[in-house]
């Protein structure tokens, strides 16, 4: 077993959360190793439409609880940090390609759906926009050149939110990798099997191939499988909310003339999924997603 005890921090997981933590700590001078396979198996970050949805994600259920309202407040604060974060990443990664891929978001209420879920969530979005004094306008979605719905499923109402955008998730991960390397962080290609302990301290991470990556602090940011690695640390595991996998379908398409909408087009959330959404990507393609079914175990089918 190889051992390397020279890292201040070892981060397990190379999705957007682990990669952001690893880069930020490395930028602040910590000696960081980030563990994860390059294909990012089962990562939500690569499956995501990557809407920077704050208001578009609001539901009646979210507003009904203190925790939901606190989440919304965090979303709002986080959204305001994106411009500075994108600029920093461009500088450190030495990659000026634009991360933000849309001008705004059009939220539509369709004639299909239920009053309680679809109309309720649409109204919750609009009331929250007013509460936060967020600029938006009511628009007639039937005027949108990108929509040609069947008469039975047409959109009746629309909210255009210019400040609600999206990012290119593949480019974001590419930039986070480069930014970590450029701040002297170490990218370890492998899968963490178990956390290594000495007495009551975690001192490193053992990989599937037997290599041990040592560190003074270990951060587990392995998405839905994080609790598997933490299962034997009962006092830690019981303080982490359960995380489950989701599986579903999304597609990335190219249009015949290469044109795509310049805004996110979406419906309000329903059935554990982010409504239906079309998100323009940096390479000129269009992401259309996504269904989501909760599952205790991750699964993977790519077409
Ligand atoms: C279909 C879909 C659409 C979504 N759309 C949006 C959206 O529009 N906007 C939005 O804000 N959010 C969206 N989300 C949610 C968002 O993608 C996630 O919240 C976010 O990507 C989670 O990032 P993460 O780094 O925590 O986890 P992940 O992206 O899942 O990353 C975990 C990483 O850890 C790695 N890993 C796992 N186990 C180990 C191990 N033992 N050793 C080493 N590495 C390991 C995995 O391979 C993976 O790369 C969507 C999610 C899905 C599934």
């Amino acid at each position: 077993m190889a051992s390397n005890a020279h890292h201040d921090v070892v981060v397990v997981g190379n999705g957007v959360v682990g990669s952001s933590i690893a880069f930020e700590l490395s930028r602040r001078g910590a000696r960081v190793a980030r563990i994860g396979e390059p294909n990012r198996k089962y990562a939500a970050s690569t499956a995501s439409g990557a809407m920077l949805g704050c208001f578009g994600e609001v539901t009646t259920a979210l507003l009904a609880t203190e925790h939901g309202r606190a989440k919304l407040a965090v979303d709002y604060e986080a959204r305001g940090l994106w411009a500075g974060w994108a600029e920093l990443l461009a500088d450190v990664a030495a990659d000026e390609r634009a991360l933000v891929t849309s001008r705004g978001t059009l939220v539509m209420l369709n004639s299909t759906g239920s009053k309680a879920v679809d109309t309720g969530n649409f109204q919750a979005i609009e009331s929250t926009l007013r509460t936060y004094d967020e600029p938006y306008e009511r628009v007639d979605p039937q005027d949108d050149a990108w929509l040609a719905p069947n008469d039975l499923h047409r959109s009746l109402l629309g909210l255009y939110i210019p400040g609600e955008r999206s990012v290119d998730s593949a480019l974001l991960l590419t930039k986070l990798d480069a930014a970590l390397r450029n701040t002297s962080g170490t990218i370890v290609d492998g899968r963490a099997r178990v956390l290594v302990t000495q007495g009551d301290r975690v001192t490193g991470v053992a990989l599937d191939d037997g290599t041990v990556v040592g560190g003074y602090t270990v951060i587990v940011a392995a998405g839905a499988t994080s609790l598997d690695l933490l299962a034997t640390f009962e006092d830690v595991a019981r303080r982490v909310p359960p995380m489950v996998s989701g599986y579903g379908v999304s597609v990335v398409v190219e249009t015949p003339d290469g044109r795509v909408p310049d805004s996110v087009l979406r419906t309000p959330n329903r059935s554990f999924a982010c409504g239906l959404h079309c998100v323009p990507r940096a390479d000129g393609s269009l992401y259309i997603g996504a269904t989501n079914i909760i599952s205790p175990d991750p699964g993977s089918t790519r077409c």
Side-chain angles (χ1 to χ4, degrees), residues 12-17 36 40-41 43-45 47-51 191-192 222-223 225:
V12 181
N14 56 356
V16 71
V17 174
R40 294 187 157 94
K41 196 174 179 190
S45 302
S48 131
M51 296 177 284
R191 187 166 181 81
T225 60

Side-chain angles (χ1 to χ4, degrees), residues 210-255:
T211 309
V212 173
V213 184
Y216 298 109
T217 300
V218 172
I219 294 175
V220 177
T225 60
S226 297
L227 277 169
D228 297 346
L229 286 165
L230 295 170
T232 52
F233 303 89
E234 280 174 23
D235 58 327
V236 177
R238 74 183 157 75
R239 284 179 278 160
V240 180
M243 284 180 271
V244 290
S245 299
Y247 65 95
V249 177
S250 61
V251 291
V252 177
V253 299
E254 285 168 8
T255 56

Side-chain angles (χ1 to χ4, degrees), residues 66-107:
E66 192 186 325
H67 293 98
R69 292 188 297 273
K71 176 188 175 291
L72 171 61
V74 171
D75 285 350
Y76 184 72
E77 200 180 331
R79 200 185 63 155
L81 298 173
W82 263 98
W85 180 242
E87 213 172 293
L88 176 69
L89 271 179
D91 277 358
V92 182
D95 184 340
E96 292 297 329
R97 284 176 292 171
L99 268 185
V100 173
T101 59
S102 56
R103 269 194 324 124
T105 293
L106 172 64
V107 183

Side-chain angles (χ1 to χ4, degrees), residues 137-156:
E137 58 182 300
R138 274 253 189 170
V139 293
D140 183 348
Q142 298 181 69
D143 293 342
D144 193 293
W146 287 99
L147 301 174
N150 175 299
D151 258 359
L152 297 176
H153 306 283
R154 66 200 191 283
S155 300
L156 303 175

